[in-house]
Amino acid sequence: MIFRKYQQEDLPQILRLFHDTVHFICSGDYTAAQLDAWAPDSFDTDVQKRWHCTLTEHFTVIAEEGLVITGFGDIDDTGYLDRLYVHKDYQRQGIASGICDRLEAHASPNIITTHASITAKPFFQKRGYHVAARQTVERHGILLTNFIMKKE
C-alpha cells in the first residue's frame, strides 16, 4: 500500500470508488433515494471539473495498491476534512486511518472539522472527534442526515 498525492488521471477511478463505496457501505444507514442523491451513477462535466478543482486545491491523499486506488481523502487550508472514502473491497484494513493520519498531520489549524455521515461517525469518534451538531442537508431535493464533527 502506498500513499501519494492526487493526479488528474485519478479522477475517473475516484468517482467510481466514491459511488460504489457510498452505495455499498452506507446502504444500512440511508435509503436508496438518499444514496442516489449523494452519489449519482454518473457525474456531468461540471461536477467532474469541481471535483478535480477541489482535489487539486486541497491537500489530497490517495491510497493505492498496485493499480487500484483503495481510498482517498482531502483537507483544505482551514482544517475542513472534506472527503474520506475507502474502496468497498478494501474496508477494515487501516486505509482510512492511514489517509486520515496524513490529512490531520498536514492540517495547520488547531481544530479539524468534518461533516460525517451516519456511517462514518463512529470512525471519527474513535479518532477523538466530537459531534458539534447533527444536521440535515439537501442533495438534489433529497434530505440526508450527517454530523458536524470537530477535533481539537
Side-chain angles (χ1 to χ4, degrees):
M1 181 76 50
I2 64 162
F3 295 95
R4 62 172 177 79
K5 292 181 87 171
Y6 167 76
Q7 301 166 1
Q8 184 170 3
E9 56 268 18
D10 297 331
L11 188 60
Q13 208 176 148
I14 284 173
L15 292 173
R16 179 53 38 206
L17 182 156
F18 168 70
H19 172 273
D20 293 351
T21 298
V22 167
H23 282 265
F24 187 81
I25 301 301
C26 301
S27 63
D29 296 314
Y30 296 92
T31 67
Q34 289 172 318
L35 298 173
D36 288 341
W38 180 4
D41 286 333
S42 62
F43 299 88
D44 65 32
T45 304
D46 288 339
V47 171
Q48 291 180 43
K49 285 180 186 177
R50 281 195 304 273
W51 271 67
H52 173 65
C53 250
T54 58
L55 291 169
T56 302
E57 290 169 359
H58 296 176
F59 177 73
T60 301
V61 175
I62 303 293
E64 188 174 54
E65 182 73 37
L67 298 176
V68 176
I69 293 176
T70 58
F72 72 98
D74 62 303
I75 193 166
D76 71 15
D77 291 338
T78 69
Y80 176 65
L81 196 158
D82 192 0
R83 291 168 282 229
L84 179 61
Y85 292 92
V86 173
H87 191 292
K88 67 180 182 60
D89 297 333
Y90 290 85
Q91 297 284 310
R92 304 204 184 284
Q93 296 180 27
I95 296 166
S97 293
I99 294 168
C100 205
D101 288 345
R102 287 157 176 83
L103 297 175
E104 290 174 356
H106 180 80
S108 55
N110 293 333
I111 298 174
I112 299 171
T113 304
T114 193
H115 293 182
S117 67
I118 296 167
T119 312
K121 180 182 163 194
F123 169 82
F124 285 107
Q125 286 176 315
K126 286 179 187 172
R127 293 189 63 87
Y129 288 73
H130 68 275
V131 174
R134 178 185 174 120
Q135 66 179 358
T136 302
V137 296
E138 182 269 328
R139 298 282 182 269
H140 307 289
I142 304 290
L143 300 177
L144 298 98
T145 297
N146 70 16
F147 301 89
I148 300 171
M149 300 186 74
K150 295 182 182 282
K151 182 177 184 179
E152 299 178 27

